[in-house]
């Protein structure tokens, strides 16, 4: 299966900084063996859409509203993202779950909104350090995925899943390839029970993935790409992860 490397810019970037970053990525695009995307803040969708137009770099968003349209101040709908040719949308990132109290049900609904608009949701799951230490990792990620399976039923093979242990996100503490593969295998098995097409779901790893640890992680049988935060803000670092996925 073709791997996917998606950058998650989070709340970073500026009109001035985005252009050279995207242009540096595009310079390398002819050599890519995997799919590549950048998930940008919504105010920069138009800028990045224009920059990547007709190129191999896919445009992504970082969140979507659970609502279709209407009086929801500050929200961005799936249809609006579609207007800018958004291909992927992160849903349920641990920062959204934590800082915005997004529940499993909310995340499942966001995935549904994205799918209905023809956007591939990148659904994030992952345990906190306390949950890992309490031996709850499998239970937590299975519960998070179950909500998305429950709401999205037969469409579940259309999602991208991302395992992002919260203790690894932005901390420099990467899961070892074995730790990550163990959880990815659990998630794959759960998807297989839900859909006969589960084997085509890409399961990304995210959490301090960088140029030096990417190859080991991406060599695991159930790791089908990466969701990259910090290292996605520098073209050279991001491109070496893309190269490691080839
Ligand atoms: P990180 O972030 O690579 O900076 O750990 C990953 C993410 O939050 O998607």
């Amino acid at each position: 299966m073709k791997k996917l490397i998606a950058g998650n810019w989070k709340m970073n970037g500026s009109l001035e900084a985005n252009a050279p970053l995207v242009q540096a990525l595009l310079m390398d695009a002819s050599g890519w063996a995997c799919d590549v995307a950048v998930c940008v803040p919504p105010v920069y969708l138009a800028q990045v859409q224009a920059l990547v137009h007709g190129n191999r770099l896919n445009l992504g968003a970082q969140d979507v509203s659970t609502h279709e349209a209407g009086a929801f101040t500050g929200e961005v709908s799936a249809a609006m993202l579609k207007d800018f040719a958004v291909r992927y949308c992160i849903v349920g990132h641990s920062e959204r779950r934590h800082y915005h109290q997004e529940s499993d049900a909310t995340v499942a609904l966001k995935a549904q909104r994205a799918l209905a608009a023809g956007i591939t949701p990148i659904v994030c799951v992952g345990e906190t350090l306390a949950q890992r230490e309490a031996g709850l990792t499998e239970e937590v990620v299975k519960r998070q995925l179950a909500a998305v399976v429950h709401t999205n039923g037969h469409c579940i093979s259309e999602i991208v899943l991302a395992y992002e242990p919260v203790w690894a996100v932005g901390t420099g503490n990467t899961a070892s390839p074995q730790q990550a593969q163990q959880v990815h295998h659990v998630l794959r098995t759960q998807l297989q029970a839900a859909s006969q097409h589960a084997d085509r779901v890409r399961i990304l790893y995210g959490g301090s993935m960088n140029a030096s640890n990417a190859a080991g992680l991406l060599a695991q049988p159930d790791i089908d790409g990466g969701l990259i935060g910090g290292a996605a803000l520098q073209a050279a670092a991001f491109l070496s992860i893309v190269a490691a996925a080839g």
Side-chain angles (χ1 to χ4, degrees):
M1 152 160 53
K2 211 179 201 185
K3 289 189 165 54
L4 169 64
I5 301 296
N8 173 12
W9 288 5
K10 311 194 181 188
M11 199 172 72
N12 293 294
S14 65
L15 284 176
E16 201 184 348
N18 300 343
L21 173 55
V22 170
Q23 276 152 1
L25 300 182
L26 293 175
M27 297 256 289
D28 194 62
S30 60
W32 292 346
C34 63
D35 291 329
V36 183
V38 284
C39 299
V40 310
V43 289
Y44 297 129
L45 286 173
Q47 181 199 18
V48 179
Q49 180 193 20
L51 288 167
V52 305
H53 184 75
N55 277 286
R56 288 200 46 205
L57 183 59
N58 292 288
L59 186 55
Q62 301 174 9
D63 186 32
V64 65
S65 177
T66 55
H67 302 286
E68 248 184 288
F72 301 102
T73 302
E75 295 275 280
V76 175
S77 73
M80 292 171 185
L81 297 180
K82 195 65 188 169
D83 261 350
F84 292 89
V86 163
R87 177 80 211 281
Y88 298 99
C89 181
I90 299 170
V91 300
H93 190 279
S94 57
E95 288 150 15
R96 303 268 344 152
R97 291 179 188 264
H98 180 71
Y99 297 121
H100 301 271
Q101 292 78 42
E102 288 191 8
S103 66
D104 293 341
T106 298
V107 173
L109 198 50
K110 289 185 172 195
Q112 191 178 44
R113 287 286 180 221
L115 286 167
I119 295 169
T120 301
I122 301 176
V123 177
C124 301
V125 300
E127 82 288 2
T128 63
L129 184 60
Q131 288 165 334
R132 173 163 282 264
E133 285 174 351
L136 297 172
T137 298
E138 287 193 15
E139 186 182 322
V140 169
V141 298
K142 281 165 110 172
R143 189 201 71 222
Q144 291 172 333
L145 176 56
V148 180
V149 169
H150 177 74
T151 303
N152 293 279
H154 60 281
C155 293
I156 200 65
S157 62
E158 305 302 318
I159 73 165
V160 168
L161 189 59
Y163 169 54
E164 295 211 313
V166 179
W167 48 270
V169 171
T171 59
N173 300 324
T174 319
S176 70
Q178 294 69 28
Q179 279 175 321
Q181 167 58 26
Q182 197 177 3
V183 178
H184 281 233
H185 179 70
V186 167
L187 295 169
R188 177 81 65 203
T189 306
Q190 189 177 357
L191 287 168
Q192 280 163 343
S195 165
Q196 57 191 29
H197 304 299
D199 290 344
R200 70 172 185 230
V201 175
R202 290 185 284 197
I203 310 180
L204 314 183
Y205 168 80
S208 301
M209 195 190 259
N210 58 38
S212 45
N213 59 35
L217 287 158
L218 293 167
Q220 298 302 310
D222 290 301
I223 301 186
D224 310 309
L227 184 55
I228 319 300
L233 298 173
Q234 287 152 3
F238 189 63
L239 289 172
S240 46
I241 298 173
V242 170

